[in-house]
C-alpha cells in the first residue's frame, strides 16, 4: 500500500495541481465523478477467427478529471479497490455497458460485452443482487473477466457467486491467464467459459519460440477442457497468423483495434467486415 501511495504521489503532485488532498481527495471525488459524467467506457474489439469478424468487446473504464486530466485505470481501479469504491464503479460500468449493448443492437450489431470484475466483488452480496437484477431486467449478454489471484483469496463464497452469475447467463473468463502462480489449481476449481492468455506471453511470441510454445500449449489445454481461448496483446500480423495456425479462437490487441468510445466502435462495425 505504501508503494502505491508513493507512486500515486509521483504521478499527481498535490502542489502542482493545487490539490492539498492529493489522492485522498481524488478518491473522495470518485463518487461525484461517476455522477458528473467524468467517467466513460472505451471498447476494445475482440476478433473471432472463425466468424472472421468482431463478435465481442472489452469495456475499459476511463476517467477524465477536469483538472488532472486522464487518470490511469490501474491507478483509480487500485485505489477504488482499497477504499471500498470498486462496487459503485463496477456497477456504473455494467449499467453503461448494458445501455451501449442495446445501442449496438439497434445499429444491427450483436456484440458480447466483457467487463472486468475485481475478485473481492465476488463475495459482495449487494453487488450480486444489483447486477443480477440489471441483467435479468435487460436480458444483456455479459462476460465477466476475473483475475486469478483475486478469486483464490476467498474461493468458497466466490465460487458460489460465480455459479449464480453463470445461471443468469453470464460467461466467465479467466483474465491474465498464465501470469499467476497456481494456474492449474485455479482451472480445476473455476467453472470458466474462456481463458484469456496474458499479453506478456502473446506480445513476445513473434520473437520468442518459448513464448510461442507456451501460448500453443495453453490453447491446447483450454480446448482440452472445452474452453474458448482469447489472446490479448496482439500487436503484429505475425502474431495474428501464428495464433490462427494454433487454432486460437479470439484475438484482442492494438493490431485489431485500440480501446475507443462507442461511436467509434459503431463506425468500425459499420465498415467493411474482418480486420
Ligand atoms: P486488463 O483487463 O488486462 O485490460 C487490458 C489492458 O491492456 C488495457 O489497458 C488495454 O488498453 C491494454 N491493451 C490492449 N491491447 C493491447 C496491446 O496490444 N498491447 C498493449 N501493450 N496493451 C494492450 P487499460 O485500459 O489501461 O486497463 C488496465 C487495467 O485496468 C485492465 O487490465 C484492468 O485490469 C483494469 N480495468 C480497466 N477498466 C476496469 C474496470 O472497469 N473495472 C476493473 N475492475 N478493472 C478495470
Ligand atoms: Ca480484462
Ligand atoms: Ca488482461
Ligand atoms: Ca491486467
Amino acid at each position: 500500500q505504501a508503494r502505491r501511495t508513493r507512486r500515486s504521489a509521483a504521478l499527481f503532485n498535490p502542489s502542482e495541481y493545487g490539490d492539498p488532498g492529493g489522492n485522498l481527495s481524488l478518491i473522495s471525488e470518485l463518487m461525484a465523478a461517476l455522477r458528473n459524467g467524468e467517467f466513460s467506457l472505451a471498447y476494445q474489439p475482440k476478433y473471432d477467427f472463425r466468424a472472421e469478424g468482431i463478435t465481442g468487446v472489452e469495456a475499459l473504464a476511463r476517467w477524465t478529471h477536469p483538472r488532472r486530466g486522464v487518470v490511469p485505470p490501474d491507478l483509480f481501479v487500485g485505489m477504488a479497490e482499497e477504499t471500498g469504491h470498486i462496487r459503485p464503479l463496477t456497477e456504473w460500468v455494467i449499467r453503461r455497458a448494458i445501455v451501449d449493448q442495446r445501442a449496438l443492437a439497434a445499429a444491427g450489431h450483436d456484440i458480447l460485452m466483457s467487463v472486468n470484475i475485481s475478485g473481492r466483488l465476488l463475495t459482495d452480496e449487494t453487488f450480486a443482487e444489483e447486477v443480477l437484477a440489471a441483467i435479468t431486467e435487460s436480458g444483456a449478454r455479459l462476460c465477466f473477466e476475473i483475475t486469478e489471484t483475486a478469486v483464490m483469496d476467498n474461493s468458497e463464497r466466490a465460487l458460489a457467486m460465480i455459479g449464480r452469475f453463470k445461471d443468469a447467463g453470464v460467461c466467465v473468463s479467466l483474465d491474465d491467464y498464465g501470469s499467476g502462480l497456481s494456474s492449474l489449481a485455479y482451472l480445476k476449481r473455476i467453472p470458466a467459459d474462456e481463458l484469456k492468455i496474458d499479453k506478456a506471453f502473446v506480445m513476445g511470441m513473434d520473437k520468442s519460440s518459448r513464448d510461442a510454445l507456451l501460448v500453443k500449449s495453453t490453447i491446447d489445454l483450454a480446448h482440452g477442457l472445452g474452453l474458448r481461448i482469447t489472446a490479448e496483446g496482439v500487436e503484429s500480423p505475425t502474431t495474428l497468423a501464428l495464433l490462427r495456425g494454433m487454432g486460437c479462437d479470439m484475438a484482442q490487441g492494438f493490431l485489431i483495434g485500440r480501446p475507443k468510445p462507442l461511436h467509434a466502435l459503431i463506425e468500425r462495425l459499420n465498415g467493411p467486415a474482418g480486420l
Side-chain angles (χ1 to χ4, degrees):
Q1 185 156 359
R3 186 171 51 86
R4 173 165 276 139
T5 311
R6 226 177 297 129
R7 187 188 59 162
S8 312
L11 265 173
F12 300 114
N13 184 337
S15 59
E16 209 173 285
Y17 288 86
D19 178 4
N23 285 318
L24 277 177
S25 106
L26 187 66
I27 271 306
S28 71
E29 289 175 53
L30 193 137
M31 293 303 290
L34 282 170
R35 285 190 301 270
N36 297 342
E38 290 171 31
F39 274 86
S40 62
L41 287 183
Y43 291 105
Q44 186 172 36
K46 290 173 74 175
Y47 178 79
D48 183 324
F49 283 106
R50 186 172 308 171
E52 297 183 341
I54 308 301
T55 56
V57 293
E58 176 175 2
L60 294 157
R62 295 289 179 260
W63 184 1
T64 309
H65 190 280
R67 280 170 299 114
R68 298 171 193 259
V70 173
V71 185
D74 283 323
L75 178 67
F76 68 73
V77 167
M79 291 198 306
E81 281 176 346
E82 284 166 15
T83 57
H85 288 80
I86 194 67
R87 181 167 67 79
L89 173 63
T90 307
E91 287 174 0
W92 180 88
V93 169
I94 291 174
R95 274 195 296 270
R96 174 53 59 85
I98 289 175
V99 169
D100 289 351
Q101 186 174 55
R102 219 175 288 137
L104 286 163
H109 305 292
D110 183 18
I111 297 291
L112 180 66
M113 289 280 184
S114 293
V115 293
N116 292 290
I117 305 294
S118 296
R120 68 189 62 198
L121 281 176
L122 291 174
T123 52
D124 185 328
E125 195 59 39
T126 316
F127 173 75
E129 301 300 337
E130 285 283 319
V131 171
L132 287 168
I135 291 169
T136 312
E137 221 168 85
S138 61
R141 282 205 310 131
L142 300 182
C143 191
F144 283 1
E145 295 192 2
I146 301 166
T147 46
E148 182 168 358
T149 42
V151 182
M152 295 305 279
D153 287 349
N154 25 34
S155 49
E156 293 310 323
R157 286 172 68 201
L159 281 172
M161 197 162 295
I162 288 174
R164 287 169 68 194
F165 283 116
K166 288 200 63 156
D167 289 345
V170 174
C171 115
V172 170
S173 175
L174 303 185
D175 204 356
D176 300 345
Y177 185 77
S179 64
L181 296 173
S182 45
S183 299
L184 290 177
Y186 181 59
L187 259 190
K188 183 174 147 83
R189 300 201 55 159
I190 311 284
D193 303 283
E194 178 188 79
L195 280 198
K196 209 163 173 185
I197 185 157
D198 195 77
K199 54 179 175 284
F201 303 101
V202 178
M203 286 168 68
M205 64 185 284
D206 56 353
K207 304 248 158 41
S208 153
S209 57
R210 279 177 69 90
D211 285 10
L213 182 67
L214 287 169
V215 171
K216 170 74 171 110
S217 308
T218 307
I219 291 172
D220 292 344
L221 173 67
H223 286 164
L225 292 168
L227 307 178
R228 185 172 69 237
I229 184 144
T230 292
E232 64 173 22
V234 178
E235 295 186 344
S236 78
T238 308
T239 297
L240 190 73
L242 283 170
L243 290 166
R244 181 183 273 115
M246 291 173 178
C248 189
D249 301 297
M250 313 276 295
Q252 179 181 350
F254 293 166
L255 178 73
I256 313 298
R258 299 221 172 217
K260 289 200 176 84
L262 179 71
H263 68 85
L265 173 68
I266 292 178
E267 267 169 42
R268 162 80 184 268
L269 294 170
N270 285 342
L275 292 170

